[in-house]
Structures are given as C-alpha cells and as structure tokens.
C-alpha cells in the first residue's frame, strides 16, 4: 500500500495501538484508482483471511461507496487493542500491506462504543 494516512494526524494508529482498551472497532476508509479495484479486493480478502485467524478477532465487513467512486470502508471488531496490536504488527501482516495497489490510501482508526441514554449501549 502506498500510504497510510491518519484519520486524525495528531493521533495516528501507531499511537492508538499503545492504549489498552477492550472491545475496539477498527474503521478503515480506503481510496484508490478505479483501475486497481480488482487487485485491491483480492488483496483485502487475503488480508482479512489472515486477520480472521488471529486471536481476538471478532468480525469484519467491507463496504464500497455507491456510484462511480472507488472508495471503500472496512470495519473490524476486536476483543482488545492488545489483540489488534499483535495482528497489526505481525510480520506476516506487514508483508501483506505491501501488496496493496500503489494507489491505495488507508486511514485506519480505532474506536470504542459510546453509551447514549435511550439510544445505544457502550
């Protein structure tokens, strides 16, 4: 992948994975050239299959923007940042991200659920 661009430049994923938290959600928007979509999808599938085998992985889902935009959004649920950190820094994963198309730009960011009374639970 040509670039990891932080969703929040003041707090990139490399800092986030250092915080111990449980039940985290990775949200990862991708942009890429339309010509690279087939390669992107195959590479993402290989990446997701690796992550699925890692301890603490719960689930993932990939979404494509409607219309002509080749933008994608992936989210993945993990038991903890410790589990995600182990997978994200694993040498096999690091080798896999190098195989994404050069036009692909990812903006991974970790989130925790927020309780809003009467609406949703943490």
């Amino acid at each position: 992948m040509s670039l990891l661009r932080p969703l929040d430049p003041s707090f990139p994923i490399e800092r986030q994975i250092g915080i111990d938290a449980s039940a985290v959600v990775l949200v990862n928007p991708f942009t890429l050239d339309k010509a690279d979509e087939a390669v992107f999808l195959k590479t993402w599938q290989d990446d997701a299959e690796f992550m699925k085998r890692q301890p603490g992985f719960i689930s993932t889902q990939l979404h494509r923007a409607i219309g002509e935009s080749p933008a994608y959004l992936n989210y993945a649920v993990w038991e903890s940042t410790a589990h995600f950190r182990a997978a994200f820094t694993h040498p096999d994963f690091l080798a896999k991200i190098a195989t994404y198309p050069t036009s692909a730009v990812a903006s991974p960011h970790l989130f925790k659920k927020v309780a809003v009374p009467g609406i949703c639970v943490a």
Side-chain angles (χ1 to χ4, degrees):
M1 186 173 325
S2 65
L3 185 62
L4 287 178
R5 181 177 299 145
L7 192 61
D8 177 354
S10 68
F11 208 76
I13 191 75
E14 294 81 10
R15 289 185 61 199
Q16 295 168 44
I17 62 175
I19 297 172
D20 288 328
S22 59
V24 294
V25 176
L26 168 73
V27 175
N28 195 5
F30 291 90
T31 57
L32 57 136
D33 292 343
K34 191 166 184 65
D36 289 334
E37 280 190 275
V39 173
F40 168 80
L41 289 169
K42 174 62 176 132
T43 305
W44 185 88
Q45 180 179 2
D46 292 344
D47 181 5
E49 287 171 352
F50 169 80
M51 291 299 195
K52 188 175 178 179
R53 295 188 304 269
Q54 303 311 301
F57 174 88
I58 296 173
S59 66
T60 193
Q61 181 64 54
L62 183 66
H63 301 264
R64 185 188 187 282
I66 60 172
E68 298 300 315
S69 173
Y72 286 83
L73 173 74
N74 162 237
Y75 63 83
V77 182
W78 289 84
E79 289 180 19
S80 69
T81 52
H83 287 103
F84 176 74
R85 178 175 52 244
F88 189 75
T89 60
H90 193 286
D92 290 349
F93 173 72
L94 296 175
K96 285 181 181 301
I97 63 172
T99 65
Y100 275 87
T102 57
S103 70
V105 176
S107 300
H109 204 90
L110 293 172
F111 293 85
K112 286 187 55 81
K113 288 172 43 175
V114 174
V116 178
I119 305 295
C120 53
V121 298

